[in-house]
């Protein structure tokens, strides 16, 4: 564990809690892509199957369970409890365009051709692109509430910090994981455009982020 | 070889 890794985990947790609290307090999931949240729940489910096979640490187990629980709670709020506020008409990203290549790639490029390894690889590849329905929705409507942009900021920050963590681990432990690194870099690149808009628009005091 | 990295990171 290093400071980048811990900060990355914390910002990931902060992002998820921001989103959950926003939906819970406003009793609305307007502007939130339910599809992205389902994909993230799928990411956690397929990656954390190792909860049943290996024990790493109490921290590791607790965080995995928390991420799983919070992601399912978010999906529940969007599709069940506050489904009347869900903007399904704007959440029109074709998820199969992500799932089919990701499934195919995880069968082709993995560390071992076993169900758990393929599912782990699938979760890494899927996480890299899971935010696309949300970014697509913002592009389509041309705006996002500031709290939604704070969520995206922390989610992007988490990924950027993980890259710093990998650089650190490479230098201190001579260890690196190519599948995780390539996917992590791809995922971070998706956020670059958003980061630019976040700093130039949201943090300059406007309530909403509007696209030009 | 067992890869603990992937199970350690979240």
């Amino acid at each position: 564990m290093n400071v980048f890794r811990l900060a990355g985990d914390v910002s990931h947790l902060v992002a998820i809690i921001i989103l959950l609290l926003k939906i819970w307090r406003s009793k609305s999931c307007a502007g939130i892509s339910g599809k992205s949240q389902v994909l993230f729940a799928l990411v956690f489910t397929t990656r954390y199957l190792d909860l049943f096979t290996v024990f790493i640490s109490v921290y590791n187990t607790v965080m995995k369970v928390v991420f799983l629980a919070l992601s399912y709670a978010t999906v529940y709020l969007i599709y069940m409890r506050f489904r009347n506020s869900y903007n399904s008409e704007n959440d029109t990203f074709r998820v199969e365009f992500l799932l089919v290549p990701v499934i195919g790639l995880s069968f082709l490029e993995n560390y071992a051709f076993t169900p758990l390894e393929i599912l782990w690889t699938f979760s890494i590849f899927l996480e890299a692109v899971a935010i696309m329905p949300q970014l697509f929705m913002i592009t389509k409507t041309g705006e996002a509430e500031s709290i939604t942009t704070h969520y995206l900021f922390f989610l992007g920050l988490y990924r950027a910090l993980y890259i710093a963590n990998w650089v650190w681990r490479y230098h201190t432990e001579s260890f690196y994981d190519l599948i995780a690194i390539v996917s992590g870099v791809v995922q971070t690149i998706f956020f670059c455009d958003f980061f630019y808009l976040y700093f130039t628009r949201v943090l300059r005091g406007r309530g909403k982020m509007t696209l030009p | 070889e067992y890869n603990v990295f992937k199970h350690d990171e979240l």
Side-chain angles (χ1 to χ4, degrees):
Chain A
M1 180 64 76
N2 57 66
V3 65
F4 302 111
R5 164 72 201 285
L6 186 63
D9 287 349
V10 169
S11 60
H12 197 180
L13 193 61
V14 166
I16 293 171
I17 290 173
I18 284 177
L19 184 68
L20 200 60
L21 278 183
K22 169 204 151 61
I23 297 172
W24 182 254
R25 288 200 177 151
S26 65
K27 302 193 189 314
S28 163
C29 57
I32 303 298
S33 166
K35 290 183 178 178
S36 275
Q37 296 309 313
V38 169
L39 292 181
F40 280 124
L42 191 58
V43 164
F44 291 135
T45 308
T46 50
R47 187 174 310 163
Y48 298 159
L49 290 170
D50 60 6
L51 280 171
F52 298 105
T53 59
V54 286
F55 177 78
I56 303 289
S57 64
V58 173
Y59 171 83
N60 185 274
T61 302
V62 169
M63 290 295 268
K64 283 174 176 172
V65 171
V66 167
F67 281 154
L68 276 168
L70 293 181
S71 69
Y72 276 96
T74 306
V75 169
Y76 165 77
L77 291 186
I78 295 173
Y79 285 100
M80 309 284 280
R81 185 141 183 161
F82 302 127
R83 67 176 176 277
N84 294 334
S85 60
Y86 170 50
N87 307 135
S88 57
E89 68 281 4
N90 288 325
D91 195 10
T92 50
F93 192 92
R94 299 282 296 273
V95 177
E96 57 270 33
F97 291 158
L98 297 180
L99 283 175
V100 171
V102 164
I103 291 169
L105 210 56
S106 54
F107 273 90
L108 286 172
E109 195 64 52
N110 52 55
Y111 293 127
F113 204 76
T114 60
L116 278 183
E117 281 293 328
I118 291 170
L119 285 169
W120 178 84
T121 313
F122 167 80
S123 84
I124 294 289
F125 290 152
L126 183 62
E127 188 186 352
V129 294
I131 200 60
M132 287 180 78
Q134 180 67 62
L135 296 177
F136 178 77
M137 195 171 178
I138 291 175
T139 310
K140 191 176 177 187
T141 59
E143 61 179 34
E145 281 182 53
S146 63
I147 192 84
T148 308
T149 66
H150 298 325
Y151 160 71
L152 287 168
F153 170 75
F154 279 103
L155 203 61
L157 181 64
Y158 137 69
R159 260 304 148 184
L161 285 165
Y162 254 68
I163 292 176
N165 157 55
W166 292 327
V167 173
W168 179 267
R169 290 191 78 162
Y170 179 69
H171 284 290
T172 56
E173 303 165 46
S174 304
F175 196 86
Y176 66 96
D177 184 316
L178 213 50
I179 288 180
I181 290 171
V182 171
S183 310
V185 170
V186 168
Q187 187 175 351
T188 310
I189 290 171
F190 284 132
F191 281 92
C192 287
D193 183 42
F194 165 78
F195 278 146
Y196 174 75
L197 289 170
Y198 184 76
F199 286 114
T200 55
R201 288 163 188 274
V202 178
L203 294 187
R204 286 196 186 155
R206 288 171 202 151
K208 283 184 171 181
M209 182 179 83
T210 48
L211 300 180
Chain B
E1 193 182 315
Y2 189 65
N3 178 0
V4 83
F5 174 94
K6 61 158 62 80
H7 302 294
D8 167 32
E9 299 203 333
L10 300 169

